[in-house]
Amino acid sequence: MRKIAVFSSGNGTNAENLIEFFKSSPSAEVKLLVTNNSKAGVIGRGKRRGIPVFIFPKDYFLDGEKLAKWLISNHIDLIVLAGFLLKIPPALIKAFDERIVNIHPSLLPKYGGKGMFGDHVHKAVIDAGDHESGITIHLVNEEYDKGEILAQFSIPVLGLKDSKLLAQKIHELEHKNFPVVVSDYLQRKFVA
Ligand code: GAR
């Protein structure tokens, strides 16, 4: 059984959706959740689903070696970033080379990089008058939102003016596709 650690800084709907999806998987499970935010909604979601949640201060995340050792001691095969807002330190990227997957709520390379998360992205899409937006699921490397793209999915933005409505549509797209792409990647990485 492959073991997944999900990192989240906020509400955690994607984290919860991943937990549910992998409950019926014969080959992988969400073993634990990690957050840097002691007020994050993901904490309650994990507890309700019976998954241990670990809250670490920001300093702990900056020490990538300590974090990598801890994840390895928990037999983690894959790290999934689901709304995690801290930059991943180089030592962790090295220890989990091609084994960190992120979801971003835009069609990268558009609207990526530092400071581009959640509602900031959706507002930028609406302000630019784009006709479509979407999600990108990609591997994590040293540069923000620049790792190899595993999959992208798009939706029309049309005349949408409300970034909250766009966020809701993007979340629906994420919930439908993110677990499937993670599952396919695990197969490709560990079975093929
Ligand atoms: C998701 O839309 C995810 O794509 C985004 O944060 C949201 C988390 O929602 N991630 C980023 O913006 C990363 N740059 P959730 O907490 O409900 O899963």
Side-chain angles (χ1 to χ4, degrees), residues 8-15 45 82-85 102-105 113 116-118 121-122 135 145 167 170-171 174-175:
S8 164
S9 303
N11 192 3
T13 65
N14 278 289
R45 291 181 191 273
F84 188 66
L85 301 183
N102 182 44
I103 189 159
H104 187 79
M116 272 298 175
F117 58 89
V121 175
H122 307 311
I135 61 171
D145 300 330
I170 291 289
H171 265 105
E174 292 182 331
H175 295 164

Side-chain angles (χ1 to χ4, degrees), residues 117-186:
F117 58 89
D119 222 36
H120 298 284
V121 175
H122 307 311
K123 282 195 171 114
V125 169
I126 288 173
D127 288 350
D130 286 3
H131 288 211
E132 62 166 10
S133 188
I135 61 171
T136 303
I137 298 158
H138 65 95
L139 297 179
V140 173
N141 64 13
E142 285 81 2
E143 288 183 89
Y144 256 121
D145 300 330
K146 292 255 174 82
E148 180 192 329
I149 291 176
L150 299 178
Q152 290 187 305
F153 302 90
S154 60
I155 47 164
V157 173
L158 296 172
L160 264 185
K161 293 269 175 284
D162 181 357
S163 64
K164 296 271 178 293
L165 207 55
L166 180 55
Q168 191 187 320
K169 287 183 181 299
I170 291 289
H171 265 105
E172 283 165 15
L173 197 64
E174 292 182 331
H175 295 164
K176 180 168 168 225
N177 295 293
F178 194 20
V180 181
V181 173
V182 170
S183 177
D184 288 352
Y185 184 66
L186 274 170

Side-chain angles (χ1 to χ4, degrees), residues 6 11-21 33 42 44-46 48-49 82:
V6 179
N11 192 3
T13 65
N14 278 289
E16 186 170 19
N17 189 51
L18 286 158
I19 293 167
E20 276 312 290
F21 178 92
L33 299 179
V42 72
R45 291 181 191 273
R48 282 195 293 279
R49 302 277 170 187

